[in-house]
Amino acid sequence: MELAKSAYLTREEHAPAQPRLLAHPTGKTGLWGWLITVDHKRIGFLYGFFALFFFLVGGFEALLIRTQLMVPNNDLLTAQQYNTLFTMHGTTMIFLAVMPLSSAFFNFIMPLQIGARDVAFPRLNAFSLWTFVAGAIILNIGWFLPQATHGAPDGGWFGYAPLTSKTFIPKHSIDYWVMGLQLLGVASIAASLNFIVTIINMRAPGMTMMRLPVFTWMTLITSFLIILSFPAITIALVELMMDRNFGTGFFEVSLGGMPILWQHLFWVFGHPEVYILILPAMGIISEILPTFSRKPLFGYPIVVFSGAAIGFLGFAVWSHHMFTTGMGTVATAAFALATMAIAVPTGVKIFNWIGTLWGGHLQMRTPMMFALGFVWMFMIGGFSGVMHAAAPADAQQQDSYFVIAHFHYVLIGGSLFALLAGIHYWFPLMFGRKVSEFWGKLSFWVIFVGFNVTFFPMHFLGLNGMPRRTFTYDPNLGWNFPNLLATIGSYILGLGVLIYFIVMAYTYFRGQRVKRDIWDGRTLEWSLPNPPPEYNFRVIPTVHARDAWWYEKHHREEIARENAEHAREEDAHGGIHMPFGSIWPFVTSLGILIGAIGFSAFAPIPGPGIGPKLGISLVGGAVMLIGIYFWSLEGNEGYHLHLDKDGNVIEDDAKAHH
Amino acid sequence: MSAPSHAVAARHDDSHDVSKFQIYVQIAMLLAVITGIEIVIVYIPFAKWIVVTTLVVLSAVKFLYVIFYFMHLRWDKPFCTILFFIGLVLAGGTAWALLMLFGAEASLPLAK
Amino acid sequence: MPKFLPTLARWSRLCVALAGIALLAGCDYNFWQMDGHQSTIVVDGPVAREQLKVFYVTVWVTSVIFVLVGGALAYATLKFRARNEAEEHAAPPEQSHGNPLVELSLIGASVLALVIIAVPTLRAIWYTYDIPEADKANAYEVTAVGYQWWFKFEYPAEQAAVDANSKTPLISANELVIPAGRPVQVHLRTVDVIHSFWVPKLAGKVDMIPNRANHLWLQADKPGYYWGQCAEYCGDSHAVMRFRVIALAPDEFNQWLEQQLQTARTVEASAADASRPKPQFAALRSFGQNEAGVTEQFDIAPLESWRAKQEPERNEDPALIARGRELFAAKTCNTCHTVRGHAAAGILGPDLTHVGSRSTIAGGLLENNREQLHRWISNPAAVKPGNKMGKAYVDNRITMTPEEETAIVAYLESLK
Amino acid sequence: MSAHAATATIDHHHDPSTSTGIPNKKLLMWAFLASDCMFFGALISTHLIYRLHPPAGGLDPKVVFSPELTSFSTFILLMSSLMMALAVTAIQKGNVKSCRWSLLTTIFFGLIFLGCQVYEFNHFVHERNMTLSNSLLGTTFYTLTGTHGCHVAIGVLWLSLMYVRSFKPAPGNPWGRSWLSHQLLHAGVLILTLLLTLKVTLGLVHSLQTEPGLGAGISHFFSSEFLFLAATLIGYGLLFWFARPRGAVQFTEANAIDVESMGLYWHFVDIVWIVIFTAVYLLEYI
Ligand code: HEA
Ligand code: HEA
Ligand code: CUA
Ligand SMILES: [Cu+2]
């Protein structure tokens, strides 16, 4: 039976055999289709969509910051507005832009790289997505509420106690921050558990751990960092929330609390967090450089191992953010040395990337430009990191613009460049179209120049004593020119970003169509047609070598024989298993959102008044429980697809399977 | 997805299945006894360090029995053990480091 | 070769050229010299110097690595680049997988480079933490207390007169006066949130954390006037929480102390005054939000300007000052401010006993002159958003006519 | 896989559909527990740090705590762990009935533990004057043990749902049509009955403690808790009715992995208590 050409089936055609109270929604189109989707590629796309949106928002906030600082004693913004802006800029960029953008690639690319048809728990994946969206909403909700009593978060992105206590910021702004981050934590942990199980358990036959593509390895390590570091901030936030709403004394000096504890708990999370931001980027770079050098990654095992070493060491250095808190000599020395040690595994990666280029045939395509830009910029950012690690020098640099320069070099020159490279690199796979080389490279150069003009002068500003988080400065301190320069740079950077986005949007609709595997790729995702079908692999591939697809391309007959045999086997076992879509993850997240709004927006300002708070929270809790209940009743059922040899769906049966 | 026949065979020479019930009950008794010892020992006027060490060791024994038997790490693939111990060791290490940091003289809170 | 490449090359060359010009044009007087008032590069004390040395070590080591690694990277990129269509489509190169020997030796080299950084780092950690044993006896002790958003300075060793028969440790605000050439131990405390004490030219910062006894030490090589700033985000007006450190030669320091230990100066009306012409006050100017509170002249010789502040003005108006003193109580200023000897003992705001002798007010934000005093007391909330004095104006319903303001300003200026 | 599972024996230590042979759910649970270690690590650290630096004039835990009750609930939690382990073995052998009984006992012990905790908190607040916000000890103690209590409560909820799910009729079972409403009702009655049990038990303990003499205590108990007692008994009657045999169910040996992952969670909650019992309670007495 010849059905539709695509694998996108309608609900009627696949009504389940058994009558049921709540039939599985199987719609594949329209808004409903997006809400119920459990397809890792669509979820990845949604992550990317929201992340890029919030990147623009965060960038817009940055431009406002820079405009305020363009000239001394500017009064474009009030102190209050400025403080809100940098808090939200930092929080947005880290939690709502870079992390979810990495997550977009984890979702979209990782299962394809290991030869899987989906992640291990597709509905949990949808739940992570929607909970992330809920967290983003809570974080930003304050913009739209009365500023005097609500307002967006304004305690700085690391929200040091006791400034964030009710005594000093009685508004709800901090409650939104607490709840927002809490939800983002839930989303990230759930997603990461899923990725860990997927990578460890869902690999195609022959895909041993030491054959995993480096990007997948970095996904795994990042996921571990997330599940092991987020609990620390979750607990810190719980304690803060208790202090704010239930009068506990965790950070309350009058009861004997020690606010320094917040800093420790925050940075126990915070430092691994920065590696959560950079490791996926390093993974992307480790895919792009070999592809465009047309040779395997230099020293694969040691690159993988150094990634793990960075992740592990990352848990032992948190106090380098606290060198100025008077920890005493021994602790300071220990953390300084541990921090420096991280330069070694990081250096290994840089060396191996250069080794990869060495002797290759470098094709200077746009992704490659961004990747090379990454290596340069990240190196500079890393060096200023080592300067911070030298604790006595850091006593002068901490909380100055030198830190701002350091981390924007690693975050933009590092993480962001790699993510932009990744978008260019995988765009043809995701959408079947390719960005024009000219416009791609142009956006690269404008971003590259703008970035350096913005942030290089900040090193000098910091060394010349300009503290961060200051909405104004006096004209007599020698900071005028570098600030002006930085602001001009940020406009250039903004222009570059704008070009980048316009080009992407244009390409999405009108760009040049390309055939599969346009870069002559090395890893399995390139073996798929673009865009990949819902079931990813017609036949689960058998992996024979590290660069699996490269090997397949050079052993075509052997692979064809193998695949035909596997296809027969699979058909005999019922065909391709596909999970049903489900609305319950969305409902669960919706319940969480409602509950969190109740909990943050109506937290008692001082006194008890818990009426509306309790009410709304309970409604949210009930919705959440309903979601979970029906979700668990659904069981992991799905339907089967059978394909003909051209990949058309020839038959499918909705027989529930386990 | 058929279970390979050797797996089925392997299952049968696993004698632990037969006596699992007894094992569990015995371990539960052991754990109860250890708990009893713990409660008693804190009241015995030994040197402080002896009591602390004993308590830590006894708790660790209970802990290990539960994870290796009740949670059958003993019979599962070692990977599960590794996975859990990554978290356990990091959590323990972090807790230890925090206690050291706060124990250092430089971080004593202000005397009132 | 794709036809866009020449265009692209032209574009990028233009961009790089523009960037270069922009950077070179940075002949702003101290962009490259790095000798601003808060410079960490041009420093005046042993602690800051030690920290700078460590910084230079890191700069040199990383620069060398940058040249080597960057060189290799640049070389590889240029050398192995596909230059034309044919090279783009050439057969792939040898699929080599790595070279353990190279990798191990690079790891070794990195470790070595880190050791070069680590050794001076460790030395400096111990040196900057505490005053060297030999100098301890010579050290001078002060306590700095952070408030949202100003600094209180206590001199525990100095007993100041409250009235004829009681004394209290000397307290000042926003300007820390220290003896030059002597190590100074600064105890760091806070009454509310976390602040950080930072005088870049003298020493790196240490935070003031609630429920924690932090300290730092610093020393000024020679007499001088130093800029400082709170370096930890502490709420709305963190950006304008500044202070000054004034280092004086021993004699001058003692002289200053002597003056500060006195109770507040009381200007008596004398017969001579009646005949003296009344001072003319300039018309009050209204300031824009965030308008600079400092003048350029001040910067040229700040220490001299500070010294000039120590002397009483020549033509004071005793009647006006006396009126100001009355108003200071009438307007409830004394509930928050201390003026030793003038029946004002509030502790929520800075001690004003000798406010006239300070070169700045409002936490180092405004130069201490008639105009800025007017600006401050007429609307403190406009100068420092969220500050307690602004709140007090609302809570206590403090309003002032320009005449009253003038009187209070005259009074404050008389408090030398 | 389900069709297959019904016919062949299942190897509970090897799942051939995954790369490592470890079932996905088990791996997920172990990874989560690794993460949970960090949660409790941070909380326990907070508590211990403030015990290391107690504020001047703070409460003395030796005065506040009552070791007898805590030892009792520790013992109860251990026993619940045993029952949980037995539930897993039972279902692995395909013995649904024995599994159900073990689950119920586990739930019951879990509830007793929770009851003890509620009692303890209540006692500390009213008798020992330690509240969440009047002392740092209260702050860290309640937050830490309360978080553990939340874990237990979630576990109890999960166990209850699993118990109810074990009655879900197999396909082809004639009364399968109405199972959803039936199941909802069953779950509701179960949870309500258990809560009532808890309430009644607490009431009994309270009466015995506050009234002079056994007889007075019991009569006070009957007079004050009569309605609750009656409701509880009705609840148990309904539960028996719900649990009457009605043909084949879906819950089989193949669900062993579900029970097992839940068991992992439950045992973890137990080992966290082992640590808390030592670090929070016992260490204070030396
Ligand atoms: C992507 C994120 C990212 C990454 C990868 C890093 C990487 C590093 N960071 Fe950074 N860091 C941040 C993000 C990041 N950081 C952020 C966001 C903050 C500020 C938070 C805030 O306060 O708001 C911060 C702050 C910060 C501080 C605190 C500063 C302060 O507040 O006082 C310190 C201190 O040690 C530090 C150090 C380092 C070090 C040593 C590395 C190393 O991992 C770098 C290693 C890399 C190299 C060294 C380059 C390549 C190596 C070679 C070529 C080999 C040879 C080199 C040598 C032997 C030197 N960082
Ligand atoms: C990944 C993280 C990330 C990224 C990508 C960025 C990107 C940028 N950041 Fe950010 N930054 C942080 C993380 C990041 N930052 C953090 C963590 C802090 C600390 C916060 C704190 O102290 O609490 C910080 C702080 C910070 C400061 C210091 C504020 C202060 O301390 O007072 C400054 C100042 O210049 C700055 C500038 C910029 C600029 C110019 C960009 C640019 O790269 C932005 C480029 C993007 C654009 C310019 C967007 C272009 C969009 C348009 C042109 C269209 C806009 C229109 C609409 C939305 C409708 N950042
Ligand atoms: Cu005080 Cu910033
Ligand atoms: Cu860090």
Side-chain angles (χ1 to χ4, degrees), chain A residues 21 121 193 197 200-203 227-228 231 234-235 239 242 247-250 255-258 261 629 633 658, chain D residues 1-2 18-20 22 24 27-28 31-32 35 38-39 43 46 50 53 55 132-133 136 139 143 180 183-184:
Chain A
L21 191 79
F121 300 94
L193 291 172
V197 177
I200 290 183
N201 256 0
M202 311 273 288
R203 286 166 285 134
I227 64 163
L228 295 172
T234 304
I235 293 305
E239 293 177 354
M242 303 273 291
T248 55
F250 288 107
L255 279 182
M258 291 187 272
L261 177 63
Y629 183 71
L633 279 190
H658 196 62
Chain D
M1 235 183 80
S2 59
T18 67
S19 315
T20 51
I22 305 167
N24 283 347
L27 203 58
L28 181 83
F32 170 73
S35 176
M38 284 298 287
F39 278 101
L43 267 175
T46 303
Y50 283 131
H53 297 299
L132 194 56
S133 53
L136 210 49
T139 291
T143 309
L180 181 72
Q183 190 186 21
L184 262 174

Side-chain angles (χ1 to χ4, degrees), chain C residues 81-371:
Chain C
R81 206 176 70 188
R83 276 178 201 73
N84 50 44
E85 200 75 5
E87 282 185 25
E88 284 251 331
H89 298 290
E94 190 204 339
Q95 303 289 301
S96 59
H97 285 278
N99 184 332
L101 207 65
V102 174
E103 294 174 39
L104 282 179
S105 41
L106 284 172
I107 291 177
S110 308
V111 173
L112 209 70
L114 289 173
V115 171
I116 298 178
I117 297 177
V119 172
T121 298
L122 292 182
R123 226 180 61 77
I125 287 175
W126 266 266
Y127 178 78
T128 55
Y129 185 72
D130 244 334
I131 302 173
E133 230 26 74
D135 285 346
K136 276 213 169 122
N138 189 28
Y140 190 76
E141 271 190 60
V142 295
T143 301
V145 187
Y147 284 70
Q148 272 179 329
W149 292 277
W150 57 283
F151 289 90
K152 178 168 98 179
F153 297 115
E154 297 174 4
Y155 298 74
E158 318 297 345
Q159 291 297 315
V162 181
D163 50 40
N165 15 0
S166 62
K167 293 200 178 243
T168 171
L170 176 62
I171 288 179
S172 176
N174 297 326
E175 293 192 350
L176 174 63
V177 181
I178 58 167
R182 272 173 79 180
V184 178
Q185 178 86 351
V186 187
H187 299 283
L188 301 168
R189 300 289 183 274
T190 168
V191 299
D192 39 46
V193 301
I194 301 176
H195 303 277
S196 190
F197 180 95
W198 188 27
V199 198
K201 285 193 167 225
L202 299 182
K205 64 190 74 64
V206 175
D207 298 348
M208 305 158 131
I209 300 175
N211 204 359
R212 199 176 161 88
N214 275 349
H215 66 90
L216 101 158
W217 77 279
L218 50 77
Q219 177 175 335
D221 294 332
K222 52 181 198 304
Y225 187 95
Y226 302 100
W227 271 253
Q229 175 142 16
C230 171
E232 187 63 75
Y233 175 55
C234 50
D236 285 355
S237 280
H238 155 69
V240 288
M241 177 168 173
R242 304 174 193 162
F243 66 105
R244 302 287 193 274
V245 173
I246 292 119
L248 299 177
D251 288 350
E252 201 183 356
F253 179 70
N254 288 333
Q255 207 180 319
W256 173 83
L257 264 182
E258 205 169 304
Q259 186 200 335
Q260 297 287 309
L261 297 177
Q262 313 293 319
T263 51
R265 185 168 156 265
T266 307
V267 183
E268 308 284 359
S270 68
D273 293 329
S275 59
R276 234 177 6 201
K278 293 259 182 269
Q280 296 292 302
F281 290 111
L284 297 184
R285 185 155 77 81
S286 66
F287 287 85
Q289 192 198 347
N290 287 2
E291 189 169 327
V294 286
T295 54
E296 274 173 34
Q297 300 93 291
F298 181 84
D299 268 2
I300 296 168
L303 191 55
E304 293 322 308
S305 310
W306 180 84
R307 283 190 178 121
K309 278 282 172 195
Q310 308 306 307
E311 297 303 320
E313 304 246 338
R314 265 181 291 109
N315 54 347
E316 289 175 317
D317 181 342
L320 192 64
I321 291 173
R323 167 106 178 99
R325 183 172 163 181
E326 279 164 26
L327 283 168
F328 194 77
K331 299 285 177 190
T332 70
C333 311
N334 58 356
T335 53
C336 296
H337 293 286
T338 296
V339 182
R340 266 183 289 120
H342 284 189
I347 51 163
L348 291 177
D351 186 309
L352 298 181
T353 311
H354 297 283
V355 66
S357 72
R358 306 207 279 257
S359 56
T360 59
I361 53 163
L365 177 63
L366 307 178
E367 212 172 301
N368 186 3
N369 58 33
R370 201 159 292 158
E371 275 204 310

